Amino acid sequence: MTEKRVATPAMPDIPQLLQLVPDLEVIVAPAQVAKLSLDYFHFSPILEPQLRSKRADVVVRPTTESQLYAIAAIARQTQTPLTVRGSGTGNYGQCIPLRGGIVVDLSGYDEIVWLHDGAARVQAGVKLAELERQSRPMGWELRMVPSTVRSATVGGFIAGGSGGIGSVRYGQLRDRGNLHAVKVLTLEDEPRVLELRGHDAVQQVVHAYGTNGIILEVELPLAPALPWLEWAVCFPTFWQAAEFAHTLGSTDGIQTRLMSVHADPIPTFLPPLRSHLLPGQAVVLLVLAASDQEAAIDLIAQFQGQVLLNQEAPAPGKGGSLIECSWNHTTLHARTADPAWTYLQCLFPADPEFRVMRHLAACFGAEVPLHLEFIRQNGTLIPAAIPLVRFTTGDRLNEIIATYEAHGVLVANPHTYLLEAGGMKTVDLPQLEFKRRVDPLGLMNPGKMAAWNG
Ligand SMILES: Cc1cc2nc3c(=O)[nH]c(=O)nc-3n(C[C@H](O)[C@H](O)[C@H](O)COP(=O)(O)OP(=O)(O)OC[C@H]3O[C@@H](n4cnc5c(N)ncnc54)[C@H](O)[C@@H]3O)c2cc1C
């Protein structure tokens, strides 16, 4: 099947049309357009050459729903590609406009609509940290945040993220109950606003890279806010560290928000840890409830661990948190130390003895140092993993992925911008039908959904 092509009309008509929208910020300066066209795609040596030259033709920064409606109508009438951007912290070129057109930067569309009784409704451009800054004094916090919580938007997290700090208690964004409703603007002949409520309805736009509607508002449940401590705990070996984390995560009486396990040499890349380490040590980064620290200390001693760092979790939006050494921040720090490092994103089988993991660790050794992030999936503790990979060639990277998959590890390949290969694995029929309905010309973030490309 051939790809459904989107005819792009001659520029610069589109910026001129957009400039007619009252009070809309329209950006055409090449340097600013270049900055607002890219994300963290460069973590992948495969995506870097594919995406580095991609640019929008124009970037707009709406602050009102009527501006957004006007932008959608212009894109639809002129058949111009439209790609939504939150803060641009995505990793796989998720918000990079492959076919130019309009980038809609939603970071200024950022009002909290309401916040009470364990739930919140916010405009898509609200920063996750800002929401927590406002909810904490009321006794609530977000159930899960990415390690980019200080800069990422709520809309970008829903459309591009998966989970993070908090997923060890609440699972991932796509799990039932973690998202109540989403308000979406369509790119139909006459753009419309749809309210999607309930699990099946919201799944249509969760982690869809903004290919099927502009998310305007998000309604999500919160969690009771706890006083959290952040600890870095070292262990003589990675397997002691992993067994400790698995035991801790299975201990119902100790509340954790993060259990991030790092094999040598990864801890040496993490700036707050460097000066505290002995050669070869593995480290577990923990966020745990202050009330549970005594019980945690006992368990750490059983596994011959030692607390290297102990601090109160900084207030939302403040720097210096150990969570900025976890999830994909680990990859960031490794690449700062040596850009030859890249990464994979995996789910290992739930197995307290880590049999598959031990086998793969023996296969790849120092080429693929392990980094685990424990999460809950339907009540079961699972070692998700973001192992580092010492990059040599694309063929070798694919060989490592194939070996992982052959051993039953689910790999969400971060070296592709295609939605199916990266995050969702399949775009099912209801999602495709939904895209046909809300974006019949395929204008939204074109090129990212393989099922649409044909
Ligand atoms: C160092 C580092 C660490 C990270 N850690 C994590 C982590 O712990 N967990 C995790 O899940 N991710 C992580 N990420 C990825 C990313 O930071 C998060 O997914 C973040 O939530 C994305 O938010 P954003 O506002 O930057 O979105 P963007 O990058 O701007 O957008 C992401 C995707 O969502 C779409 N989009 C954005 N807003 C809307 C909207 N309103 N309507 C429709 N589509 C929209 C965009 O088109 C794009 O496809 C990490 C990335 C980096 C670089």
Side-chain angles (χ1 to χ4, degrees):
M1 273 216 287
T2 51
E3 190 179 331
K4 295 176 186 68
R5 285 237 159 250
V6 175
T8 311
M11 298 286 169
D13 298 1
I14 308 303
Q16 278 171 12
L17 283 174
L18 290 165
Q19 260 143 8
L20 297 176
V21 178
D23 300 323
L24 178 65
E25 188 183 355
V26 180
I27 298 165
V28 288
Q32 236 186 320
V33 168
K35 189 166 167 234
L36 294 168
S37 297
L38 300 175
D39 65 5
Y40 283 76
F41 71 106
H42 47 81
F43 277 23
S44 163
I46 307 296
L47 290 177
E48 206 279 330
Q50 293 173 15
L51 298 181
R52 67 176 158 227
S53 61
K54 303 291 178 195
R55 297 288 181 273
D57 295 295
V58 55
V59 180
V60 285
R61 282 210 173 113
T63 53
T64 66
E65 189 170 320
S66 58
Q67 288 175 342
L68 274 156
Y69 184 91
I71 295 162
I74 289 169
R76 179 68 179 83
Q77 280 154 19
T78 58
Q79 301 190 14
T80 305
L82 183 155
T83 303
V84 187
R85 175 185 179 91
S87 295
T89 67
N91 284 121
Y92 344 108
Q94 288 170 318
C95 68
I96 295 182
L98 297 180
R99 313 235 173 101
I102 307 168
V103 159
V104 181
D105 176 341
L106 272 183
S107 58
Y109 189 65
D110 62 350
E111 276 178 25
I112 294 184
V113 181
W114 53 255
L115 170 55
H116 54 70
D117 293 339
R121 186 166 177 114
V122 299
Q123 290 182 339
V126 166
K127 297 262 198 315
L128 292 158
E130 176 57 22
L131 177 53
E132 275 209 330
R133 202 179 64 76
Q134 301 219 17
S135 67
R136 269 209 152 244
M138 300 166 70
W140 300 100
E141 63 188 19
L142 284 160
R143 287 190 174 181
M144 67 200 73
V145 294
S147 59
T148 47
V149 56
R150 285 205 287 156
S151 43
T153 62
V154 174
F157 190 38
I158 301 298
S162 56
I165 297 94
S167 288
V168 68
R169 275 163 77 77
Y170 292 100
Q172 293 184 287
L173 277 173
R174 67 185 63 169
D175 291 331
R176 189 174 286 276
N178 281 333
L179 181 59
H180 289 167
V182 181
K183 180 170 149 185
V184 173
L185 180 63
T186 71
L187 255 70
E188 294 163 283
D189 278 356
E190 273 295 312
R192 272 190 310 152
V193 168
L194 304 177
E195 175 82 3
L196 307 175
R197 287 203 79 83
H199 182 72
D200 293 340
V202 298
Q203 287 314 303
Q204 296 171 122
V205 295
V206 169
H207 208 74
Y209 295 6
T211 55
N212 54 14
I214 304 175
I215 299 173
L216 297 181
E217 287 178 15
V218 175
E219 193 179 311
L220 69 177
L222 303 173
L226 294 179
W228 295 109
L229 297 177
E230 300 184 341
W231 288 3
V233 188
C234 66
F235 293 86
T237 69
F238 173 78
W239 301 111
Q240 276 164 301
E243 281 162 16
F244 159 75
H246 186 275
T247 307
L248 177 64
S250 315
T251 303
D252 295 339
I254 303 179
Q255 302 167 90
T256 52
R257 207 182 182 205
L258 176 78
M259 294 192 327
S260 180
V261 186
H262 303 265
D264 178 60
I266 300 176
T268 64
F269 304 142
L270 308 178
L273 270 57
R274 239 178 245 148
S275 59
H276 301 270
L277 292 163
L278 292 177
Q281 283 181 323
V283 164
V284 180
L285 301 177
L286 288 179
V287 176
L288 84 155
S291 56
D292 298 337
Q293 56 182 315
E294 260 184 77
I297 288 281
D298 280 352
L299 202 58
I300 289 168
Q302 281 180 35
F303 286 84
Q304 282 114 50
Q306 191 193 339
V307 179
L308 289 181
L309 287 178
N310 174 356
Q311 63 180 35
E312 283 178 18
K318 300 281 181 220
S321 170
L322 286 183
I323 70 172
E324 290 183 358
C325 290
S326 71
W327 289 83
N328 226 1
H329 265 82
T330 309
T331 315
L332 177 82
H333 294 302
R335 287 179 49 74
T336 304
D338 182 348
W341 290 112
T342 187
Y343 70 120
L344 293 177
Q345 302 177 136
C346 318
L347 280 183
F348 277 95
D351 169 18
E353 292 173 30
F354 305 113
R355 277 165 289 208
V356 167
M357 206 186 291
R358 283 177 201 272
H359 174 72
L360 291 171
C363 287
F364 296 112
E367 189 182 6
V368 187
L370 285 169
H371 160 203
L372 311 182
E373 295 290 348
F374 280 91
I375 63 168
R376 239 178 197 77
Q377 203 174 53
N378 300 321
T380 304
L381 190 67
I382 307 260
I386 314 179
L388 293 182
V389 177
R390 188 98 198 142
F391 183 73
T392 46
T393 66
D395 285 346
R396 178 62 178 161
L397 187 63
N398 288 334
E399 203 181 329
I400 295 168
I401 293 173
T403 310
Y404 264 54
E405 289 183 331
H407 285 82
V409 179
L410 190 146
V411 180
N413 186 357
H415 302 284
T416 168
Y417 54 73
L418 288 175
L419 180 55
E420 289 89 340
M424 286 198 139
K425 288 288 169 188
T426 56
V427 167
D428 60 21
L429 202 54
Q431 279 162 345
L432 200 53
E433 287 301 321
F434 183 70
K435 175 151 172 87
R436 284 198 185 109
R437 192 151 64 85
V438 300
D439 180 25
L441 297 183
L443 297 170
M444 292 213 64
N445 207 352
K448 302 286 171 62
M449 188 190 274
W452 180 269
N453 295 346

